[in-house]
Amino acid sequence: GNPSFSPFLKSEEGDSKGQSPFVMRGDPSFSPFARLLPCPAKLLEDSKGQSPFVRLVYLVFCLLILIFVFGCKQKLLTEEYFPYQTGNRWKYKSYEVAGYFIREFSGTTRLSTTTLRNWVTTFFDTANHQIAVETSYIVITDTMVLYYENLNYDPFVFLKLPLEINNTWTFYIDEEPITAQVITKDEVTVEAGTFSNVYSVKYDDPENEERRYIYYAPNVGIIKDVLFDFEGELISEDELIEYPVRD
C-alpha cells in the first residue's frame, strides 16, 4: 500500500532482493523510417538475374534495413510507454493517504560503467507542504527498463519488450515466484483524462496474497496503479492527475 509505487518484482535472471515489474510493445510493422528506406522485398526482386555475389550484397543490405527499422521501433516503444527524458514529471493522488506525490526524472548517477537516470518521488500533504523525498534509479536498454530500488541492490526488470496480450513471465522475491501477464489493451479514464491503447499488466504475488495492476498509456507512461489482496479487497490505488506537471 505504499503510494510511492515501490515495485515488487525481480528478474529470475538475477540475485536481487526487493521489488519490481513490467512490459510493452506495439505493431512492429510501423516505423517512420520505413518510408525513407527501400523495400527489402523489392530489392530482392530486383536482384533476380544478377550474379551470386550481387544477390548476396542485396541480401545483406536488406537484412541491415530490417535490423535498423526494428531496432528503431523498439526504442520508440520504450520511449512511448515509459517516457524517461529528464524534466518529465507526473502528479498522482493516492486514495489511501491524504495529499499527492510527484515523480520526475532529474539528472543521472554513475554506477561503475553504467549511467542511471534518477527517478525522484516527492510527497506533499494536502497543504502542499513537502513531507518526503525518495530516489530510485532507471536504466534504459533497447529491450527493457531496469529499476534500482537503491544502489545497494541489483536492478529489476521494470518494463520488457515485447508487449502483447497474454504474454506471461515470472520474477522472484527472495526466491518466491511472481507471475506477470499482459491482460488488456484498452481505453482507460483517470482524473488526468481518457487515454487510448493503454496496456494493463497483472502481477500475482502468492507469497503476500496480493495482485497488482499497472496501466501504461502511450506518450504518458504510468497512469494508474491498483493493488488488491487475493480476496479482491482494495489495498491501494494511485491515479495520474496531471502530466506534464506545470510549475
Side-chain angles (χ1 to χ4, degrees):
N2 186 345
S4 67
F5 173 62
S6 177
F8 61 93
L9 304 179
K10 84 170 188 178
S11 170
E12 60 186 341
E13 299 172 355
D15 298 321
S16 318
K17 300 176 182 177
Q19 321 165 320
S20 179
F22 320 164
V23 191
M24 91 214 128
R25 166 177 160 184
D27 179 3
S29 64
F30 165 79
S31 172
F33 301 101
R35 300 178 184 177
L36 305 178
L37 296 170
C39 172
K42 181 65 165 59
L43 287 174
L44 290 176
E45 180 68 22
D46 291 344
S47 71
K48 288 182 178 179
Q50 302 289 341
S51 68
F53 176 76
V54 171
R55 287 183 58 81
L56 178 61
V57 171
Y58 270 72
L59 178 60
V60 171
F61 185 60
C62 291
L63 289 174
L64 290 175
I65 290 174
L66 292 173
I67 291 171
F68 175 75
V69 169
F70 278 85
C72 291
K73 179 57 180 171
Q74 293 281 79
K75 186 175 188 298
L76 288 171
L77 286 165
T78 304
E79 294 178 352
E80 182 181 9
Y81 281 90
F82 199 86
Y84 53 80
Q85 292 79 7
T86 294
N88 282 1
R89 307 175 76 193
W90 300 259
K91 183 177 181 180
Y92 299 87
K93 65 179 179 182
S94 293
Y95 287 91
E96 74 277 12
V97 298
Y100 61 94
F101 61 95
I102 292 176
R103 287 204 190 97
E104 64 181 313
F105 282 104
S106 178
T108 60
T109 295
R110 193 74 174 171
L111 181 64
S112 185
T113 60
T114 304
T115 299
L116 315 178
R117 297 177 185 270
N118 303 332
W119 205 25
V120 181
T121 303
T122 307
F123 298 90
F124 298 86
D125 62 20
T126 54
N128 296 321
H129 297 136
Q130 180 178 312
I131 56 178
V133 179
E134 296 179 359
T135 301
S136 51
Y137 306 90
I138 299 292
V139 174
I140 311 295
T141 74
D142 290 339
T143 58
M144 66 184 67
V145 177
L146 299 177
Y147 172 89
Y148 289 76
E149 186 176 6
N150 61 60
L151 300 180
N152 297 318
Y153 294 116
D154 291 333
F156 313 121
V157 178
F158 198 62
L159 295 173
K160 188 176 180 180
L161 293 168
L163 182 65
E164 293 180 341
I165 302 302
N166 294 324
N167 270 10
T168 303
W169 66 101
T170 302
F171 297 81
Y172 292 86
I173 301 174
D174 298 327
E175 300 183 355
E176 296 296 333
I178 306 291
T179 301
Q181 183 180 22
V182 183
I183 56 172
T184 62
K185 182 182 181 183
D186 209 344
E187 182 176 272
V188 176
T189 298
V190 295
E191 186 170 322
T194 298
F195 302 90
S196 300
N197 299 318
V198 174
Y199 282 109
S200 64
V201 184
K202 178 184 72 174
Y203 305 92
D204 280 343
D205 179 2
E207 177 69 14
N208 295 302
E209 297 186 346
E210 293 178 345
R211 177 168 292 142
R212 195 175 210 117
Y213 297 87
I214 309 296
Y215 298 80
Y216 294 93
N219 304 311
V220 178
I222 297 170
I223 62 169
K224 194 173 183 179
D225 170 17
V226 189
L227 182 65
F228 297 92
D229 64 23
F230 274 9
E231 300 299 320
E233 187 75 21
L234 179 66
I235 298 174
S236 68
E237 182 175 0
D238 300 335
E239 180 177 307
L240 184 69
I241 57 178
E242 188 177 347
Y243 174 84
V245 174
R246 296 174 176 83
D247 294 324

Short mmCIF file of all heavy atoms in Angstrom, two decimals, residues 10-52:
data_model
loop_
_atom_site.label_atom_id
_atom_site.label_comp_id
_atom_site.label_asym_id
_atom_site.label_seq_id
_atom_site.Cartn_x
_atom_site.Cartn_y
_atom_site.Cartn_z
N LYS A 10 11.30 -9.07 -9.14
CA LYS A 10 12.67 -9.08 -9.56
C LYS A 10 12.89 -10.14 -10.61
O LYS A 10 12.17 -11.13 -10.68
CB LYS A 10 13.61 -9.29 -8.38
CG LYS A 10 13.84 -10.73 -7.98
CD LYS A 10 14.96 -10.81 -6.97
CE LYS A 10 15.34 -12.25 -6.71
NZ LYS A 10 16.44 -12.39 -5.77
N SER A 11 13.90 -9.95 -11.42
CA SER A 11 14.14 -10.84 -12.54
C SER A 11 14.67 -12.18 -12.07
O SER A 11 15.51 -12.27 -11.18
CB SER A 11 15.16 -10.21 -13.49
OG SER A 11 15.57 -11.15 -14.44
N GLU A 12 14.17 -13.24 -12.69
CA GLU A 12 14.68 -14.57 -12.36
C GLU A 12 16.12 -14.74 -12.81
O GLU A 12 16.79 -15.69 -12.44
CB GLU A 12 13.80 -15.62 -13.03
CG GLU A 12 13.75 -15.52 -14.53
CD GLU A 12 12.75 -16.48 -15.12
OE1 GLU A 12 12.37 -17.43 -14.45
OE2 GLU A 12 12.37 -16.27 -16.27
N GLU A 13 16.61 -13.79 -13.60
CA GLU A 13 17.97 -13.89 -14.11
C GLU A 13 18.99 -13.29 -13.15
O GLU A 13 20.17 -13.36 -13.37
CB GLU A 13 18.07 -13.17 -15.46
CG GLU A 13 17.16 -13.79 -16.51
CD GLU A 13 17.12 -12.96 -17.77
OE1 GLU A 13 17.74 -11.88 -17.77
OE2 GLU A 13 16.48 -13.41 -18.73
N GLY A 14 18.53 -12.66 -12.05
CA GLY A 14 19.45 -12.00 -11.13
C GLY A 14 19.31 -12.57 -9.74
O GLY A 14 18.50 -13.43 -9.45
N ASP A 15 20.15 -12.06 -8.82
CA ASP A 15 20.13 -12.47 -7.43
C ASP A 15 19.62 -11.34 -6.56
O ASP A 15 20.03 -11.16 -5.44
CB ASP A 15 21.54 -12.87 -6.98
CG ASP A 15 22.06 -14.05 -7.76
OD1 ASP A 15 21.25 -14.95 -8.05
OD2 ASP A 15 23.25 -14.06 -8.07
N SER A 16 18.70 -10.54 -7.08
CA SER A 16 18.28 -9.33 -6.42
C SER A 16 17.38 -9.61 -5.22
O SER A 16 16.74 -10.62 -5.13
CB SER A 16 17.52 -8.44 -7.39
OG SER A 16 18.17 -8.42 -8.62
N LYS A 17 17.35 -8.62 -4.35
CA LYS A 17 16.37 -8.61 -3.28
C LYS A 17 15.53 -7.38 -3.48
O LYS A 17 16.04 -6.33 -3.72
CB LYS A 17 17.06 -8.54 -1.91
CG LYS A 17 17.99 -9.71 -1.63
CD LYS A 17 18.69 -9.50 -0.32
CE LYS A 17 19.66 -10.62 -0.02
NZ LYS A 17 20.39 -10.40 1.22
N GLY A 18 14.25 -7.47 -3.34
CA GLY A 18 13.48 -6.26 -3.45
C GLY A 18 12.22 -6.40 -4.23
O GLY A 18 11.48 -7.29 -3.95
N GLN A 19 12.04 -5.55 -5.24
CA GLN A 19 10.72 -5.42 -5.79
C GLN A 19 10.70 -4.75 -7.14
O GLN A 19 11.41 -3.79 -7.33
CB GLN A 19 9.92 -4.57 -4.81
CG GLN A 19 10.25 -4.92 -3.39
CD GLN A 19 9.78 -3.88 -2.42
OE1 GLN A 19 9.89 -2.72 -2.70
NE2 GLN A 19 9.27 -4.31 -1.32
N SER A 20 9.87 -5.24 -8.09
CA SER A 20 9.60 -4.54 -9.36
C SER A 20 9.10 -5.38 -10.51
O SER A 20 9.41 -6.54 -10.55
CB SER A 20 10.85 -3.81 -9.80
OG SER A 20 10.61 -3.18 -11.00
N PRO A 21 8.35 -4.79 -11.54
CA PRO A 21 7.88 -5.48 -12.74
C PRO A 21 7.90 -4.73 -14.08
O PRO A 21 8.45 -3.67 -14.14
CB PRO A 21 6.46 -5.78 -12.35
CG PRO A 21 6.05 -4.61 -11.55
CD PRO A 21 7.32 -4.15 -10.84
N PHE A 22 7.30 -5.31 -15.19
CA PHE A 22 6.64 -4.63 -16.33
C PHE A 22 6.96 -4.90 -17.81
O PHE A 22 7.90 -5.57 -18.09
CB PHE A 22 6.59 -3.16 -16.15
CG PHE A 22 6.28 -2.85 -14.77
CD1 PHE A 22 6.49 -1.61 -14.28
CD2 PHE A 22 5.78 -3.83 -13.91
CE1 PHE A 22 6.20 -1.35 -12.97
CE2 PHE A 22 5.50 -3.54 -12.61
CZ PHE A 22 5.72 -2.30 -12.16
N VAL A 23 6.17 -4.16 -18.78
CA VAL A 23 6.22 -4.54 -20.19
C VAL A 23 5.55 -3.63 -21.20
O VAL A 23 4.76 -2.81 -20.84
CB VAL A 23 5.53 -5.89 -20.39
CG1 VAL A 23 5.83 -6.39 -21.76
CG2 VAL A 23 6.00 -6.85 -19.37
N MET A 24 5.73 -4.00 -22.48
CA MET A 24 5.03 -3.26 -23.52
C MET A 24 5.45 -3.63 -24.93
O MET A 24 6.48 -4.22 -25.11
CB MET A 24 5.26 -1.78 -23.30
CG MET A 24 6.44 -1.30 -24.02
SD MET A 24 7.28 -0.04 -23.17
CE MET A 24 8.81 -0.82 -23.26
N ARG A 25 4.67 -3.20 -25.92
CA ARG A 25 5.04 -3.30 -27.33
C ARG A 25 3.90 -2.92 -28.24
O ARG A 25 2.77 -2.87 -27.83
CB ARG A 25 5.54 -4.70 -27.65
CG ARG A 25 5.63 -4.99 -29.14
CD ARG A 25 6.20 -6.35 -29.38
NE ARG A 25 5.87 -6.80 -30.69
CZ ARG A 25 6.17 -7.98 -31.15
NH1 ARG A 25 6.78 -8.83 -30.39
NH2 ARG A 25 5.86 -8.32 -32.36
N GLY A 26 4.21 -2.69 -29.49
CA GLY A 26 3.18 -2.34 -30.45
C GLY A 26 3.39 -3.12 -31.73
O GLY A 26 4.06 -4.12 -31.76
N ASP A 27 2.84 -2.63 -32.78
CA ASP A 27 2.92 -3.30 -34.07
C ASP A 27 4.26 -3.00 -34.72
O ASP A 27 4.54 -1.87 -35.10
CB ASP A 27 1.79 -2.79 -34.96
CG ASP A 27 1.81 -3.41 -36.35
OD1 ASP A 27 2.67 -4.28 -36.58
OD2 ASP A 27 0.98 -3.02 -37.18
N PRO A 28 5.17 -4.00 -34.86
CA PRO A 28 6.49 -3.74 -35.42
C PRO A 28 6.47 -3.38 -36.90
O PRO A 28 7.47 -3.02 -37.47
CB PRO A 28 7.23 -5.06 -35.19
CG PRO A 28 6.16 -6.08 -35.14
CD PRO A 28 4.98 -5.40 -34.50
N SER A 29 5.29 -3.50 -37.53
CA SER A 29 5.23 -3.16 -38.95
C SER A 29 5.33 -1.65 -39.15
O SER A 29 5.63 -1.20 -40.25
CB SER A 29 3.93 -3.67 -39.55
OG SER A 29 2.81 -3.02 -38.97
N PHE A 30 5.05 -0.88 -38.10
CA PHE A 30 5.11 0.57 -38.25
C PHE A 30 6.50 1.08 -37.91
O PHE A 30 7.11 0.69 -36.95
CB PHE A 30 4.12 1.26 -37.31
CG PHE A 30 4.41 2.73 -37.18
CD1 PHE A 30 4.00 3.60 -38.17
CD2 PHE A 30 5.12 3.21 -36.10
CE1 PHE A 30 4.29 4.95 -38.05
CE2 PHE A 30 5.40 4.56 -35.98
CZ PHE A 30 4.98 5.42 -36.96
N SER A 31 6.97 1.98 -38.73
CA SER A 31 8.19 2.73 -38.40
C SER A 31 8.26 3.95 -39.28
O SER A 31 8.09 3.85 -40.49
CB SER A 31 9.44 1.88 -38.60
OG SER A 31 10.58 2.71 -38.43
N PRO A 32 8.53 5.13 -38.68
CA PRO A 32 8.65 6.32 -39.51
C PRO A 32 9.83 6.24 -40.47
O PRO A 32 9.89 6.97 -41.46
CB PRO A 32 8.85 7.44 -38.48
CG PRO A 32 9.33 6.75 -37.26
CD PRO A 32 8.68 5.40 -37.27
N PHE A 33 10.77 5.35 -40.19
CA PHE A 33 11.93 5.21 -41.05
C PHE A 33 11.62 4.39 -42.30
O PHE A 33 12.35 4.43 -43.28
CB PHE A 33 13.09 4.55 -40.29
CG PHE A 33 13.50 5.32 -39.09
CD1 PHE A 33 13.09 4.94 -37.83
CD2 PHE A 33 14.30 6.46 -39.20
CE1 PHE A 33 13.46 5.66 -36.71
CE2 PHE A 33 14.67 7.18 -38.09
CZ PHE A 33 14.26 6.78 -36.84
N ALA A 34 10.53 3.61 -42.24
CA ALA A 34 10.23 2.70 -43.34
C ALA A 34 10.02 3.45 -44.64
O ALA A 34 10.36 2.96 -45.73
CB ALA A 34 8.99 1.87 -43.00
N ARG A 35 9.43 4.65 -44.56
CA ARG A 35 9.16 5.41 -45.77
C ARG A 35 10.44 5.97 -46.38
O ARG A 35 10.45 6.39 -47.54
CB ARG A 35 8.20 6.56 -45.45
CG ARG A 35 6.86 6.08 -44.90
CD ARG A 35 5.98 7.26 -44.55
NE ARG A 35 4.73 6.82 -43.94
CZ ARG A 35 3.81 7.65 -43.49
NH1 ARG A 35 3.97 8.96 -43.60
NH2 ARG A 35 2.72 7.19 -42.93
N LEU A 36 11.50 6.02 -45.59
CA LEU A 36 12.75 6.60 -46.08
C LEU A 36 13.70 5.55 -46.64
O LEU A 36 14.74 5.90 -47.21
CB LEU A 36 13.45 7.34 -44.93
CG LEU A 36 12.62 8.41 -44.22
CD1 LEU A 36 13.43 9.02 -43.08
CD2 LEU A 36 12.18 9.49 -45.19
N LEU A 37 13.35 4.27 -46.47
CA LEU A 37 14.26 3.20 -46.85
C LEU A 37 13.66 2.36 -47.97
O LEU A 37 12.45 2.22 -48.08
CB LEU A 37 14.52 2.30 -45.63
CG LEU A 37 15.25 2.98 -44.47
CD1 LEU A 37 15.24 2.07 -43.26
CD2 LEU A 37 16.67 3.34 -44.86
N PRO A 38 14.50 1.76 -48.80
CA PRO A 38 14.00 0.87 -49.85
C PRO A 38 13.29 -0.34 -49.26
O PRO A 38 13.62 -0.78 -48.17
CB PRO A 38 15.28 0.45 -50.60
CG PRO A 38 16.32 1.44 -50.19
CD PRO A 38 15.97 1.90 -48.82
N CYS A 39 12.32 -0.86 -49.97
CA CYS A 39 11.61 -2.06 -49.52
C CYS A 39 12.50 -3.28 -49.74
O CYS A 39 12.96 -3.54 -50.86
CB CYS A 39 10.31 -2.21 -50.31
SG CYS A 39 9.47 -3.77 -49.99
N PRO A 40 12.77 -4.08 -48.67
CA PRO A 40 13.63 -5.26 -48.83
C PRO A 40 13.10 -6.23 -49.88
O PRO A 40 13.88 -6.78 -50.67
CB PRO A 40 13.62 -5.89 -47.43
CG PRO A 40 13.37 -4.72 -46.51
CD PRO A 40 12.43 -3.84 -47.27
N ALA A 41 11.79 -6.46 -49.91
CA ALA A 41 11.22 -7.38 -50.89
C ALA A 41 11.47 -6.89 -52.31
O ALA A 41 11.78 -7.68 -53.22
CB ALA A 41 9.72 -7.55 -50.63
N LYS A 42 11.33 -5.58 -52.51
CA LYS A 42 11.57 -5.00 -53.84
C LYS A 42 13.03 -5.16 -54.23
O LYS A 42 13.36 -5.47 -55.39
CB LYS A 42 11.19 -3.52 -53.82
CG LYS A 42 11.38 -2.80 -55.16
CD LYS A 42 10.45 -3.36 -56.23
CE LYS A 42 10.35 -2.45 -57.44
NZ LYS A 42 11.65 -2.22 -58.08
N LEU A 43 13.94 -4.95 -53.26
CA LEU A 43 15.37 -5.11 -53.57
C LEU A 43 15.69 -6.54 -53.98
O LEU A 43 16.45 -6.77 -54.92
CB LEU A 43 16.21 -4.72 -52.34
CG LEU A 43 16.29 -3.22 -52.02
CD1 LEU A 43 17.04 -3.00 -50.71
CD2 LEU A 43 16.99 -2.47 -53.15
N LEU A 44 15.11 -7.50 -53.27
CA LEU A 44 15.37 -8.90 -53.60
C LEU A 44 14.80 -9.24 -54.98
O LEU A 44 15.40 -10.00 -55.74
CB LEU A 44 14.76 -9.81 -52.53
CG LEU A 44 15.46 -9.75 -51.16
CD1 LEU A 44 14.71 -10.62 -50.15
CD2 LEU A 44 16.92 -10.21 -51.28
N GLU A 45 13.64 -8.69 -55.29
CA GLU A 45 13.05 -8.92 -56.60
C GLU A 45 13.95 -8.34 -57.69
O GLU A 45 14.18 -8.97 -58.74
CB GLU A 45 11.67 -8.26 -56.66
CG GLU A 45 10.95 -8.44 -57.99
CD GLU A 45 10.55 -9.88 -58.25
OE1 GLU A 45 10.42 -10.66 -57.27
OE2 GLU A 45 10.36 -10.25 -59.42
N ASP A 46 14.49 -7.15 -57.44
CA ASP A 46 15.34 -6.51 -58.42
C ASP A 46 16.66 -7.24 -58.62
O ASP A 46 17.32 -7.10 -59.65
CB ASP A 46 15.64 -5.07 -58.01
CG ASP A 46 14.40 -4.18 -58.09
OD1 ASP A 46 13.43 -4.61 -58.74
OD2 ASP A 46 14.40 -3.09 -57.49
N SER A 47 17.05 -8.03 -57.58
CA SER A 47 18.35 -8.72 -57.67
C SER A 47 18.29 -9.98 -58.52
O SER A 47 19.33 -10.58 -58.82
CB SER A 47 18.85 -9.07 -56.27
OG SER A 47 18.07 -10.12 -55.70
N LYS A 48 17.08 -10.42 -58.92
CA LYS A 48 16.96 -11.64 -59.72
C LYS A 48 17.70 -11.45 -61.05
O LYS A 48 17.61 -10.41 -61.69
CB LYS A 48 15.50 -11.95 -59.98
CG LYS A 48 14.75 -12.45 -58.74
CD LYS A 48 13.32 -12.81 -59.06
CE LYS A 48 12.60 -13.35 -57.84
NZ LYS A 48 11.19 -13.70 -58.13
N GLY A 49 18.40 -12.47 -61.44
CA GLY A 49 19.15 -12.41 -62.68
C GLY A 49 20.55 -11.85 -62.51
O GLY A 49 21.37 -11.88 -63.44
N GLN A 50 20.86 -11.33 -61.31
CA GLN A 50 22.19 -10.82 -61.03
C GLN A 50 23.11 -11.98 -60.64
O GLN A 50 22.68 -13.09 -60.39
CB GLN A 50 22.13 -9.78 -59.91
CG GLN A 50 21.22 -8.60 -60.19
CD GLN A 50 21.77 -7.67 -61.24
OE1 GLN A 50 22.97 -7.70 -61.53
NE2 GLN A 50 20.91 -6.86 -61.84
N SER A 51 24.39 -11.69 -60.57
CA SER A 51 25.37 -12.71 -60.18
C SER A 51 25.17 -13.07 -58.71
O SER A 51 24.59 -12.30 -57.94
CB SER A 51 26.78 -12.17 -60.37
OG SER A 51 27.04 -11.13 -59.43
N PRO A 52 25.64 -14.27 -58.30
CA PRO A 52 25.50 -14.67 -56.88
C PRO A 52 26.09 -13.63 -55.92
O PRO A 52 25.52 -13.39 -54.85
CB PRO A 52 26.27 -16.00 -56.82
CG PRO A 52 26.16 -16.54 -58.21
CD PRO A 52 26.23 -15.35 -59.11
#
